[in-house]
Amino acid sequence: MSGSNRGAESEERDVVALNPLFARPGEATELPRNVLPAGESLPETAYQIVHDEAMLDGNARLNLATFVGTWMDPYAQRLYEETADKNMIDKDEYPATAAIETRCWKMLGGLWNAPDPQDTIGTSTIGSSEAAMLGGLALKRRWQHARRAAGKPADRPNLVLSSAVQVCWEKFCNYWDVEARYVPISLEHKVLDGHDLEKYVDENTIGVVAILGVTYTGMYEPVAEIAAALDRIQASTGLDVPIHVDGASGAMIAPFVQPGLEWDFRVPRVVSINTSGHKYGLVYPGLGWVVWRDVASLPEDLVFRVSYLGGDMPTFALNFSRPGAQVLLQYYLFLRLGFDGYRKVQQASQDVALYLSGEIAKMPQFDLWNDGSDIPVFAWSLAQGHGENWNLYHLSDRLRLKGWLVPAYPMPADLDALTVQRIVVRNGLSMDLAHSLIDDLRAEVAYLDALSSPMPVEGQHPGFHH
């Protein structure tokens, strides 16, 4: 290709061409792609351009990679439109929204078996990543206060986590100068379960993170077993190490589907829990929540006081201005569904996950890592001796041709030679869609098995989505 042709092609990509059907006299028919336009355009024109470009995105309902909610009912849509202008940080201008936020985290405190839900303290956040960072920040500050009160140095904090932890915890340790101590998962210990924990915990440990629904596979880390291991460590060393539960997904599943599982504030070492309202809280992105066991568990010097309507509103957040609409959507769902409604929705998702994992387990090409009986998420790998001419990345690409986004990716360090595929079942993936997915999966596996020579592997990359 000549240089002039390349230049012309580059110029074409730098503009967005308007469909002639929407062109109007005196209005530009091309708009710059990467530069602010010099003049105005009609709202219908701008809408059509953005609408048409957004069509290139995938079908959200068929995205089995993401944990984030992709559907809400028409009444929620209406409420969203009516409240999109509310700023969550402005407690004075939007006191009703602020009061509803408080109701929500008190409801969560009760759902998570806080000793006294009225004595809990919590906050909404942009997502569970911000909520997790606030939980980690409180752990660090509590540890620093205790160390300084004892006349000991407080400059080398560490946090103990699974090697399969979500990336937000890596960010937390990086941003707040905390040493991350990763306990590697293995085929024998698929999650952080308290095994060898004494090798990682010392006087500088600010806490242990237990994940209720590992991002890689959906498995629960056994909070009670981790706490028991920390009890043994305290008995032998005197170290009293708290637990933060990253319940981004599982904290909105376990109370409804596994109510007898002790993972929450029933476990005395658990001082704080975060979750995603926009995952199995069933709200559109972005919304997270974090709740502390009691007011004493959140260091007072991290809380800023805001006065509204003559009252006192504590606030603790990394972000300042942020949407209030999602908080109202969460309250809408709490009222709309109640405990029994959430139980039915989450159980339906788990039923679909168990159906899908059961059908995939029957296929000789695959080995299940887990079956979706924790959160409705499961992963599988290629069985030994299968896939001579193809791998899971090829299968992911074939499924994408049918509209399904089913990611393939390597497991974390020490298991990174193992590639898995994962399905996240969310509200909206019906049993009918699940049957269609299995039909397509079987068809694409048959296609790949019939290949007479290997598929190319150049350019393959993980399709991992949190």
Side-chain angles (χ1 to χ4, degrees):
M1 181 183 292
S2 69
S4 60
N5 285 344
R6 280 199 302 270
E9 187 177 275
S10 175
E11 287 179 12
E12 289 176 5
R13 290 198 300 267
D14 287 339
V15 297
V16 178
L18 185 63
N19 185 325
L21 185 64
F22 301 104
R24 293 167 178 82
E27 188 177 40
T29 58
E30 291 183 339
L31 294 174
R33 188 182 298 272
N34 301 311
V35 179
L36 187 69
E40 302 176 55
S41 58
L42 291 171
E44 297 91 337
T45 303
Y47 167 82
Q48 196 62 45
I49 290 174
V50 178
H51 174 81
D52 289 351
E53 292 216 37
M55 288 195 307
L56 298 174
D57 287 334
N59 184 331
R61 291 281 292 278
L62 302 184
N63 183 354
L64 308 185
T66 182
F67 287 76
V68 176
T70 54
W71 180 87
M72 292 193 79
D73 67 49
Y75 287 98
Q77 300 270 16
R78 185 192 305 178
L79 184 62
Y80 202 176
E81 292 174 4
E82 293 170 352
T83 60
D85 61 339
K86 294 185 184 294
N87 186 350
M88 194 64 246
I89 199 64
D90 198 339
K91 315 289 186 182
D92 182 63
E93 186 173 355
Y94 306 110
T97 300
I100 286 172
E101 178 193 27
T102 298
R103 290 179 215 169
C104 285
W105 56 253
K106 285 187 182 293
M107 288 181 181
L108 290 171
L111 185 67
W112 297 335
N113 294 290
D116 178 3
Q118 300 309 309
D119 186 45
T120 56
I121 188 167
T123 185
S124 66
T125 59
I126 289 294
S128 58
S129 293
E130 182 189 1
M133 290 196 188
L134 294 179
L137 190 55
L139 289 177
K140 179 182 178 182
R141 188 63 60 87
R142 289 178 69 217
W143 173 83
Q144 287 175 321
H145 288 336
R147 295 282 291 179
R148 288 166 181 156
K152 297 178 179 179
D155 59 340
R156 298 181 59 191
N158 68 69
L159 183 66
V160 177
L161 327 101
S162 161
S163 63
V165 76
Q166 211 261 10
V167 69
C168 72
W169 289 103
E170 298 177 40
K171 290 182 178 180
F172 166 76
C173 291
N174 186 333
Y175 295 167
W176 274 276
D177 293 323
V178 175
E179 177 194 354
R181 293 188 173 179
Y182 296 111
V183 181
I185 64 170
S186 64
L187 295 176
E188 295 76 26
H189 300 277
K190 291 184 173 182
V191 294
L192 176 66
D193 57 11
H195 178 73
D196 284 343
L197 201 56
E198 66 279 359
K199 297 179 180 178
Y200 298 87
V201 170
D202 61 23
E203 64 177 358
N204 293 318
T205 301
I206 65 174
V208 173
V209 174
I211 312 169
L212 206 69
V214 173
T215 306
Y216 284 85
T217 62
M219 293 181 68
Y220 289 159
E221 293 185 337
V223 179
E225 291 182 27
I226 295 169
L230 291 172
D231 289 344
R232 293 191 294 270
I233 290 171
Q234 183 175 8
S236 61
T237 66
L239 298 174
D240 186 6
V241 179
I243 293 174
H244 172 88
V245 176
D246 183 350
S249 295
M252 293 303 294
I253 294 289
F256 307 107
V257 179
Q258 302 105 356
L261 180 67
E262 294 194 358
W263 63 273
D264 51 17
F265 293 123
R266 286 170 290 183
V267 179
R269 285 192 183 274
V270 174
V271 295
S272 50
I273 301 170
N274 71 273
T275 197
S276 284
H278 64 220
K279 292 180 181 174
Y280 289 101
L282 308 180
V283 176
Y284 283 138
L287 178 66
W289 298 96
V290 58
V291 178
W292 285 266
R293 167 181 290 276
D294 48 37
V295 172
S297 297
L298 177 60
E300 177 64 26
D301 57 337
L302 289 176
V303 179
F304 291 82
R305 299 286 171 181
V306 178
S307 177
Y308 80 102
L309 291 185
D312 181 64
M313 170 64 69
T315 177
F316 176 34
L318 301 180
N319 293 291
F320 198 70
S321 293
R322 56 188 174 88
Q326 282 87 347
V327 170
L328 299 179
L329 290 176
Q330 185 76 84
Y331 187 54
Y332 162 77
L333 281 174
F334 284 170
L335 298 179
R336 160 95 168 77
L337 293 175
F339 185 93
D340 194 52
Y342 264 99
R343 182 190 60 78
K344 290 175 181 176
V345 170
Q346 313 299 37
Q347 186 62 62
S349 293
Q350 190 179 70
D351 290 345
V352 172
L354 292 173
Y355 162 74
L356 288 170
S357 66
E359 292 303 303
I360 290 173
K362 296 174 186 176
M363 301 176 68
Q365 295 88 350
F366 304 125
D367 287 330
L368 279 183
W369 180 272
N370 61 309
D371 65 359
S373 57
D374 289 338
I375 62 173
V377 175
F378 65 95
W380 68 92
S381 59
L382 272 177
Q384 190 171 5
H386 285 277
E388 179 181 346
N389 291 327
W390 58 277
N391 58 37
L392 292 180
Y393 295 105
H394 297 125
L395 178 56
S396 181
D397 289 342
R398 295 295 304 179
L399 289 171
R400 188 181 287 264
L401 294 176
K402 299 287 182 69
W404 301 104
L405 273 66
V406 183
Y409 50 85
M411 291 291 273
D414 297 318
L415 274 179
D416 50 2
L418 177 67
T419 298
V420 299
Q421 256 182 310
R422 183 196 68 198
I423 284 177
V424 177
V425 178
R426 303 183 315 284
N427 183 34
L429 181 64
S430 65
M431 194 64 80
D432 286 338
L433 282 174
H435 287 298
S436 297
L437 172 59
I438 289 297
D439 289 343
D440 288 340
L441 180 67
R442 288 180 178 138
E444 297 310 324
V445 169
Y447 169 86
L448 292 168
D449 273 348
L451 294 173
S452 57
S453 58
M455 290 279 282
V457 296
E458 289 78 16
Q460 289 186 333
H461 61 275
F464 188 73
H465 296 268
H466 293 293

